[in-house]
Coordinates of all heavy atoms in Angstrom, one line a residue:
M30 N 3.2 -12.4 4.7 CA 3.2 -11.5 3.6 C 2.1 -10.5 3.8 O 0.9 -10.8 4.0 CB 3.0 -12.2 2.3 CG 3.1 -11.3 1.0 SD 3.0 -12.3 -0.5 CE 4.6 -13.2 -0.4
P31 N 2.5 -9.2 3.9 CA 1.5 -8.2 4.2 C 0.5 -7.9 3.0 O 0.8 -8.1 1.9 CB 2.3 -7.0 4.5 CG 3.5 -7.1 3.6 CD 3.8 -8.6 3.6
I32 N -0.7 -7.5 3.4 CA -1.6 -7.1 2.4 C -1.7 -5.6 2.4 O -1.9 -5.0 3.5 CB -3.0 -7.7 2.7 CG1 -3.0 -9.2 2.6 CG2 -4.0 -7.1 1.7 CD1 -4.3 -9.8 2.9
Y33 N -1.4 -5.0 1.3 CA -1.5 -3.5 1.2 C -2.9 -3.1 0.6 O -3.3 -3.7 -0.3 CB -0.4 -3.0 0.4 CG 1.0 -3.0 1.0 CD1 2.0 -3.8 0.5 CD2 1.2 -2.3 2.2 CE1 3.2 -3.9 1.1 CE2 2.5 -2.4 2.8 CZ 3.5 -3.2 2.2 OH 4.7 -3.2 2.8
N34 N -3.4 -2.1 1.2 CA -4.6 -1.5 0.6 C -4.2 -0.4 -0.3 O -3.3 0.4 0.1 CB -5.5 -1.0 1.7 CG -6.1 -2.2 2.5 OD1 -6.5 -3.2 2.0 ND2 -6.2 -2.0 3.8
F35 N -4.8 -0.2 -1.4 CA -4.5 0.9 -2.3 C -5.8 1.7 -2.6 O -6.9 1.1 -2.6 CB -4.0 0.4 -3.6 CG -2.6 -0.3 -3.5 CD1 -2.5 -1.6 -3.2 CD2 -1.5 0.5 -3.6 CE1 -1.2 -2.2 -3.1 CE2 -0.2 -0.1 -3.5 CZ -0.1 -1.4 -3.2
I36 N -5.6 2.9 -2.7 CA -6.8 3.8 -3.2 C -6.4 4.5 -4.5 O -5.3 5.1 -4.5 CB -7.1 4.8 -2.1 CG1 -7.6 4.1 -0.8 CG2 -8.2 5.8 -2.6 CD1 -7.9 5.1 0.3
C37 N -7.2 4.3 -5.4 CA -6.9 4.9 -6.7 C -7.1 6.4 -6.7 O -8.2 6.9 -6.2 CB -7.8 4.3 -7.8 SG -7.5 5.0 -9.4
N38 N -6.1 7.2 -7.2 CA -6.3 8.6 -7.2 C -7.2 9.1 -8.3 O -7.6 10.2 -8.4 CB -4.9 9.3 -7.3 CG -4.1 9.1 -6.0 OD1 -4.7 9.2 -4.9 ND2 -2.8 8.9 -6.1
E39 N -7.4 8.2 -9.3 CA -8.2 8.6 -10.4 C -9.7 8.4 -10.2 O -10.5 9.3 -10.4 CB -7.8 7.7 -11.6 CG -6.3 8.0 -12.1 CD -6.2 9.4 -12.8 OE1 -7.3 9.9 -13.3 OE2 -5.1 10.0 -12.7
C40 N -10.0 7.2 -9.7 CA -11.5 6.9 -9.6 C -11.9 6.6 -8.1 O -13.1 6.5 -7.8 CB -11.9 5.8 -10.5 SG -11.2 4.2 -10.0
G41 N -10.9 6.6 -7.2 CA -11.2 6.3 -5.8 C -11.5 4.9 -5.5 O -11.9 4.5 -4.4
E42 N -11.2 4.0 -6.4 CA -11.4 2.6 -6.2 C -10.4 2.1 -5.0 O -9.3 2.5 -5.0 CB -11.0 1.8 -7.4 CG -11.1 0.3 -7.3 CD -12.5 -0.3 -7.3 OE1 -13.5 0.5 -7.5 OE2 -12.7 -1.5 -7.1
K43 N -11.0 1.3 -4.1 CA -10.1 0.7 -3.1 C -10.0 -0.7 -3.4 O -10.9 -1.5 -3.7 CB -10.8 0.9 -1.7 CG -11.0 2.4 -1.3 CD -11.8 2.5 0.0 CE -12.0 3.9 0.4 NZ -12.8 4.1 1.6
F44 N -8.7 -1.2 -3.3 CA -8.5 -2.6 -3.5 C -7.3 -3.0 -2.7 O -6.5 -2.2 -2.2 CB -8.2 -2.8 -5.0 CG -7.2 -2.0 -5.6 CD1 -5.9 -2.5 -5.8 CD2 -7.4 -0.7 -6.0 CE1 -4.9 -1.7 -6.4 CE2 -6.4 0.1 -6.6 CZ -5.2 -0.4 -6.8
E45 N -7.1 -4.3 -2.6 CA -6.0 -4.9 -1.8 C -5.1 -5.7 -2.8 O -5.5 -6.2 -3.8 CB -6.6 -5.9 -0.8 CG -7.5 -5.2 0.2 CD -8.0 -6.2 1.2 OE1 -8.0 -7.4 0.9 OE2 -8.5 -5.8 2.3
Q46 N -3.8 -5.7 -2.3 CA -2.9 -6.6 -3.1 C -1.8 -7.1 -2.2 O -1.3 -6.3 -1.3 CB -2.2 -5.7 -4.2 CG -1.3 -6.6 -5.1 CD -1.0 -5.9 -6.4 OE1 -1.9 -5.4 -7.0 NE2 0.2 -5.9 -6.8
L47 N -1.5 -8.3 -2.3 CA -0.4 -8.9 -1.5 C 0.9 -8.4 -2.1 O 1.1 -8.4 -3.3 CB -0.5 -10.4 -1.6 CG -1.6 -11.1 -0.8 CD1 -1.7 -12.6 -1.2 CD2 -1.3 -11.0 0.7
C48 N 1.8 -8.0 -1.2 CA 3.0 -7.5 -1.7 C 4.2 -8.1 -0.8 O 4.0 -8.3 0.4 CB 3.1 -6.0 -1.5 SG 1.8 -5.2 -2.5
R49 N 5.3 -8.3 -1.5 CA 6.5 -8.6 -0.7 C 6.9 -7.3 0.0 O 6.6 -6.2 -0.4 CB 7.6 -9.1 -1.6 CG 7.3 -10.5 -2.2 CD 8.6 -11.0 -2.7 NE 9.0 -10.3 -3.9 CZ 8.7 -10.6 -5.1 NH1 7.9 -11.6 -5.4 NH2 9.1 -9.8 -6.1
I50 N 7.7 -7.6 1.1 CA 8.2 -6.4 1.9 C 9.0 -5.5 1.0 O 8.9 -4.3 1.2 CB 9.0 -6.9 3.1 CG1 8.0 -7.8 3.9 CG2 9.6 -5.8 3.9 CD1 8.1 -7.7 5.3
S51 N 9.8 -6.1 0.2 CA 10.7 -5.2 -0.6 C 10.0 -4.8 -1.9 O 10.7 -4.2 -2.8 CB 12.0 -6.0 -1.0 OG 11.6 -7.2 -1.7
W52 N 8.8 -5.1 -2.0 CA 8.1 -4.8 -3.3 C 8.1 -3.3 -3.6 O 7.7 -2.5 -2.7 CB 6.7 -5.3 -3.2 CG 5.8 -4.9 -4.4 CD1 5.7 -5.6 -5.6 CD2 4.9 -3.8 -4.4 NE1 4.8 -4.9 -6.4 CE2 4.3 -3.9 -5.7 CE3 4.6 -2.8 -3.6 CZ2 3.4 -2.9 -6.1 CZ3 3.7 -1.9 -4.0 CH2 3.1 -1.9 -5.3
Q53 N 8.5 -2.9 -4.8 CA 8.5 -1.5 -5.1 C 8.0 -1.3 -6.5 O 8.3 -0.3 -7.2 CB 9.9 -0.9 -5.0 CG 10.4 -0.8 -3.6 CD 11.8 -0.2 -3.5 OE1 12.4 0.0 -4.5 NE2 12.2 0.1 -2.3
G54 N 7.2 -2.2 -7.0 CA 6.6 -2.1 -8.3 C 5.5 -1.2 -8.4 O 5.2 -0.4 -7.5
T55 N 4.8 -1.2 -9.5 CA 3.7 -0.3 -9.7 C 2.4 -1.2 -9.5 O 2.4 -2.4 -9.8 CB 3.6 0.3 -11.1 OG1 3.7 -0.7 -12.1 CG2 4.8 1.3 -11.2
V56 N 1.4 -0.5 -9.1 CA 0.1 -1.2 -9.0 C -0.9 -0.5 -9.9 O -1.0 0.7 -10.1 CB -0.4 -1.0 -7.5 CG1 -1.8 -1.6 -7.4 CG2 0.5 -1.8 -6.6
T57 N -1.7 -1.4 -10.6 CA -2.7 -0.8 -11.5 C -4.1 -1.0 -10.9 O -4.4 -2.0 -10.4 CB -2.6 -1.6 -12.8 OG1 -1.3 -1.5 -13.4 CG2 -3.6 -1.1 -13.8
C58 N -4.8 0.1 -11.0 CA -6.2 0.1 -10.5 C -7.0 -0.9 -11.3 O -7.0 -0.9 -12.5 CB -6.8 1.5 -10.6 SG -8.5 1.5 -10.2
P59 N -7.7 -1.8 -10.6 CA -8.5 -2.8 -11.4 C -9.7 -2.2 -12.0 O -10.3 -2.9 -12.9 CB -8.9 -3.8 -10.3 CG -8.9 -3.0 -9.0 CD -7.8 -2.0 -9.2
A60 N -10.1 -1.1 -11.6 CA -11.3 -0.5 -12.2 C -11.0 0.4 -13.4 O -11.7 0.3 -14.4 CB -12.0 0.4 -11.1
C61 N -10.0 1.2 -13.3 CA -9.7 2.2 -14.4 C -8.4 2.0 -15.1 O -8.0 2.7 -16.0 CB -9.9 3.6 -13.9 SG -8.6 4.1 -12.8
K62 N -7.6 1.0 -14.6 CA -6.3 0.7 -15.2 C -5.2 1.8 -15.0 O -4.2 1.7 -15.7 CB -6.5 0.3 -16.6 CG -7.6 -0.7 -16.9 CD -7.4 -2.0 -16.1 CE -8.5 -3.0 -16.4 NZ -8.4 -4.2 -15.5
Q63 N -5.5 2.7 -14.2 CA -4.5 3.8 -14.0 C -3.5 3.3 -12.9 O -3.8 2.4 -12.1 CB -5.1 5.1 -13.5 CG -6.1 5.7 -14.5 CD -5.3 6.1 -15.7 OE1 -4.2 6.7 -15.6 NE2 -5.9 5.9 -16.9
T64 N -2.3 3.8 -12.9 CA -1.3 3.4 -12.0 C -1.1 4.5 -10.9 O -0.2 4.4 -10.1 CB 0.1 3.1 -12.7 OG1 0.5 4.3 -13.4 CG2 0.0 1.9 -13.6
D65 N -1.9 5.5 -11.0 CA -1.8 6.6 -10.0 C -2.6 6.2 -8.8 O -3.7 6.7 -8.5 CB -2.4 7.9 -10.6 CG -2.2 9.1 -9.7 OD1 -1.4 8.9 -8.7 OD2 -2.8 10.1 -9.9
V66 N -2.0 5.3 -8.0 CA -2.7 4.9 -6.8 C -1.8 5.2 -5.6 O -0.6 5.3 -5.7 CB -3.0 3.3 -6.8 CG1 -3.8 3.0 -8.0 CG2 -1.7 2.5 -6.9
K67 N -2.4 5.3 -4.4 CA -1.6 5.5 -3.2 C -1.8 4.3 -2.3 O -2.9 3.6 -2.2 CB -2.0 6.7 -2.5 CG -3.4 6.8 -1.9 CD -3.7 8.1 -1.3 CE -5.1 8.2 -0.7 NZ -5.4 9.5 -0.2
K68 N -0.7 3.9 -1.6 CA -0.7 2.7 -0.8 C -1.1 3.1 0.6 O -0.7 4.1 1.2 CB 0.7 2.1 -0.8 CG 0.8 0.9 0.0 CD 2.2 0.2 -0.3 CE 3.4 1.0 0.1 NZ 4.6 0.3 -0.2
V69 N -1.9 2.2 1.2 CA -2.4 2.4 2.6 C -2.0 1.1 3.3 O -2.4 0.0 2.9 CB -3.9 2.7 2.6 CG1 -4.3 2.9 4.1 CG2 -4.3 3.9 1.8
I70 N -1.3 1.3 4.4 CA -0.9 0.1 5.2 C -2.1 -0.5 5.8 O -2.9 0.2 6.5 CB 0.1 0.5 6.2 CG1 1.4 1.1 5.6 CG2 0.5 -0.7 7.1 CD1 2.1 0.3 4.6
S71 N -2.3 -1.8 5.7 CA -3.4 -2.5 6.2 C -3.2 -2.7 7.7 O -2.1 -2.5 8.3 CB -3.6 -3.8 5.6 OG -2.7 -4.7 6.0
L72 N -4.2 -3.1 8.4 CA -4.2 -3.3 9.8 C -3.5 -4.7 10.1 O -3.2 -4.9 11.3 CB -5.6 -3.3 10.4 CG -6.3 -1.9 10.3 CD1 -7.7 -2.0 10.9 CD2 -5.5 -0.8 11.1
I73 N -3.3 -5.5 9.1 CA -2.7 -6.8 9.3 C -1.2 -6.5 9.6 O -0.5 -5.9 8.8 CB -2.9 -7.6 8.1 CG1 -4.4 -7.9 7.9 CG2 -2.1 -9.0 8.3 CD1 -4.7 -8.6 6.6
S74 N -0.7 -7.1 10.7 CA 0.7 -6.9 11.0 C 1.6 -7.5 10.0 O 1.3 -8.6 9.6 CB 0.9 -7.4 12.4 OG 0.7 -8.8 12.5
S75 N 2.6 -6.8 9.7 CA 3.6 -7.4 8.8 C 4.8 -7.8 9.5 O 5.4 -7.0 10.3 CB 3.9 -6.3 7.7 OG 4.4 -5.2 8.3
H76 N 5.2 -9.0 9.3 CA 6.4 -9.5 9.9 C 7.7 -9.1 9.2 O 7.6 -8.9 8.0 CB 6.4 -11.0 10.0 CG 5.2 -11.5 10.8 ND1 5.1 -11.5 12.1 CD2 4.0 -12.0 10.4 CE1 3.9 -12.0 12.5 NE2 3.2 -12.3 11.5
G77 N 8.8 -9.0 9.9 CA 10.0 -8.7 9.3 C 10.4 -7.3 9.2 O 11.4 -6.9 8.7
R78 N 9.5 -6.4 9.6 CA 9.8 -5.0 9.6 C 10.4 -4.6 10.9 O 9.8 -4.8 12.0 CB 8.5 -4.2 9.3 CG 8.0 -4.3 7.9 CD 6.7 -3.6 7.7 NE 6.9 -2.1 7.9 CZ 5.9 -1.3 7.9 NH1 4.7 -1.7 7.6 NH2 6.1 0.0 8.1
S79 N 11.5 -3.9 10.9 CA 12.1 -3.5 12.1 C 11.4 -2.2 12.6 O 10.9 -1.4 11.9 CB 13.6 -3.2 11.9 OG 13.8 -2.2 10.9
G80 N 11.5 -2.1 13.9 CA 10.9 -0.9 14.5 C 9.4 -1.0 14.6 O 8.8 -1.9 14.2
G81 N 8.8 0.1 15.1 CA 7.3 0.0 15.3 C 6.7 1.2 14.6 O 5.7 1.8 15.0
D82 N 7.2 1.5 13.4 CA 6.7 2.7 12.7 C 5.3 2.5 12.2 O 4.6 3.5 11.9 CB 7.7 3.1 11.6 CG 7.9 2.0 10.6 OD1 7.3 0.9 10.8 OD2 8.6 2.2 9.6
S83 N 4.8 1.2 12.1 CA 3.5 1.0 11.6 C 2.4 1.7 12.5 O 1.4 2.1 12.0 CB 3.2 -0.4 11.4 OG 3.3 -1.1 12.6
S84 N 2.8 1.7 13.8 CA 1.8 2.2 14.7 C 1.8 3.8 14.7 O 0.8 4.4 15.1 CB 2.1 1.8 16.1 OG 3.4 2.3 16.5
E85 N 2.8 4.3 14.1 CA 2.9 5.8 14.0 C 2.4 6.3 12.6 O 2.2 7.5 12.5 CB 4.4 6.2 14.1 CG 4.9 5.8 15.5 CD 6.4 6.1 15.6 OE1 6.9 6.7 14.6 OE2 7.0 5.8 16.6
C86 N 2.2 5.3 11.7 CA 1.8 5.7 10.4 C 0.3 6.0 10.4 O -0.5 5.2 10.9 CB 2.2 4.7 9.4 SG 1.7 5.0 7.7
S87 N -0.1 7.1 9.8 CA -1.5 7.4 9.8 C -2.2 6.6 8.7 O -3.4 6.7 8.6 CB -1.6 8.9 9.5 OG -1.1 9.2 8.2
G88 N -1.5 5.9 7.9 CA -2.1 5.1 6.8 C -2.1 5.9 5.5 O -2.5 5.4 4.5
K89 N -1.6 7.1 5.6 CA -1.5 7.9 4.4 C 0.0 8.0 4.0 O 0.8 7.4 4.6 CB -2.1 9.3 4.6 CG -3.6 9.2 4.9 CD -4.1 10.6 5.2 CE -5.6 10.4 5.6 NZ -6.2 11.7 6.0
S90 N 0.3 8.7 3.0 CA 1.7 8.8 2.5 C 2.5 9.8 3.4 O 2.6 11.0 3.1 CB 1.7 9.3 1.1 OG 1.0 8.4 0.2
C91 N 3.1 9.2 4.4 CA 4.0 10.0 5.2 C 5.4 9.7 4.8 O 5.8 8.6 4.3 CB 3.8 9.7 6.7 SG 4.1 7.9 7.1
S92 N 6.3 10.7 5.0 CA 7.7 10.5 4.6 C 8.5 9.7 5.6 O 9.6 9.3 5.3 CB 8.3 11.9 4.3 OG 8.3 12.6 5.5
G93 N 8.0 9.6 6.8 CA 8.9 9.0 7.9 C 8.6 7.5 8.0 O 9.2 6.9 8.9
C94 N 7.7 7.0 7.3 CA 7.4 5.6 7.5 C 7.9 4.8 6.3 O 7.7 5.1 5.2 CB 5.9 5.4 7.6 SG 5.3 3.7 7.6
S95 N 8.6 3.7 6.6 CA 9.2 2.9 5.6 C 8.1 2.2 4.7 O 8.4 1.8 3.6 CB 10.1 1.8 6.2 OG 9.3 1.0 7.0
G96 N 7.0 2.1 5.2 CA 5.9 1.5 4.5 C 5.2 2.4 3.5 O 4.5 2.0 2.6
C97 N 5.5 3.7 3.6 CA 4.8 4.7 2.8 C 5.6 5.2 1.7 O 5.1 5.9 0.9 CB 4.3 5.8 3.7 SG 3.0 5.3 4.8
K98 N 6.9 4.8 1.7 CA 7.7 5.4 0.6 C 7.5 4.7 -0.7 O 7.0 3.6 -0.7 CB 9.2 5.2 1.0 CG 9.6 6.1 2.2 CD 11.0 5.9 2.6 CE 11.3 6.8 3.8 NZ 12.7 6.6 4.2
Ligands
LIG468 ZN1 -9.0 3.7 -10.6

């Protein structure tokens, strides 16, 4: 199960959360309780993902990466 890193767009808090691969829920910042957070793919390899797009992902919100949508 991959660990996703999140950065809060409101206060800049960085935190981690375990997520299922198909997880598409919302994440709440633990510091300010806002849900305006962006997901950053961690360096921990995630099993079950086809292709090698994780190596192409900059870790920011790119449109071409399945992990960033
Ligand atoms: Zn926050």
Side-chain angles (χ1 to χ4, degrees):
M30 186 174 291
I32 297 175
Y33 288 116
N34 293 318
F35 292 89
I36 298 176
C37 177
N38 288 323
E39 292 291 332
C40 69
E42 177 77 5
K43 297 177 182 177
F44 55 98
E45 298 178 343
Q46 183 160 318
L47 285 169
C48 299
R49 289 195 294 269
I50 298 220
S51 60
W52 174 85
Q53 291 183 348
T55 55
V56 174
T57 302
C58 172
C61 69
K62 310 305 180 186
Q63 296 296 318
T64 56
D65 184 14
V66 301
K67 67 181 176 183
K68 182 166 62 179
V69 181
I70 302 301
S71 75
L72 296 178
I73 298 174
S74 62
S75 57
H76 299 283
R78 289 177 60 185
S79 61
D82 56 0
S83 62
S84 62
E85 299 174 2
C86 179
S87 64
K89 299 176 182 177
S90 296
C91 60
S92 60
C94 172
S95 61
C97 290
K98 292 179 181 177

